[in-house]
Amino acid sequence: MQVIHMSKKREDPEAQALKLEVAAELGLLDKIEKEGWGALSAAESGKIGGLLAKMKIGSAYMATVAGQPAIRDTAEDDEEEAGSP
């Protein structure tokens, strides 16, 4: 029986899957399935968060190397759509 407790806020299913993948790599998936995310210690949660951050930084770097913008500046995009110079 899988008992993964979701938080009250809705989380992107892809982000949730990535968190579970990282938790599995760290050997924490069984604990999460049995007891929920709240059973993790601060250190365990930090390890998951740290690896997720490294993955995001790595993907942003790879996008930059490939010549794609890593971060979309929505303020500039909004100005362009409104016709501002």
Side-chain angles (χ1 to χ4, degrees):
M1 178 167 85
Q2 192 173 12
V3 182
I4 299 175
H5 299 285
M6 297 285 289
S7 64
K8 291 182 181 180
K9 68 177 183 174
R10 288 207 172 255
E11 186 171 11
D12 176 24
E14 289 181 23
Q16 178 70 14
L18 190 56
K19 277 174 49 176
L20 290 170
E21 181 181 327
V22 170
E25 289 177 14
L26 295 173
L28 298 170
L29 189 57
D30 288 338
K31 183 175 185 177
I32 294 167
E33 288 176 344
K34 291 177 185 171
E35 303 174 45
W37 290 101
L40 297 179
S41 69
E44 292 167 334
S45 295
K47 286 179 184 178
I48 292 172
L51 286 174
L52 289 171
K54 282 183 182 179
M55 294 170 85
K56 286 183 180 183
I57 291 169
S59 65
Y61 173 76
M62 291 307 293
T64 303
V65 170
Q68 300 173 2
I71 300 173
R72 180 175 169 249
D73 187 347
T74 56
E76 288 181 14
D77 293 341
D78 292 342
E79 288 177 4
E80 289 175 9
E81 289 176 9
S84 300

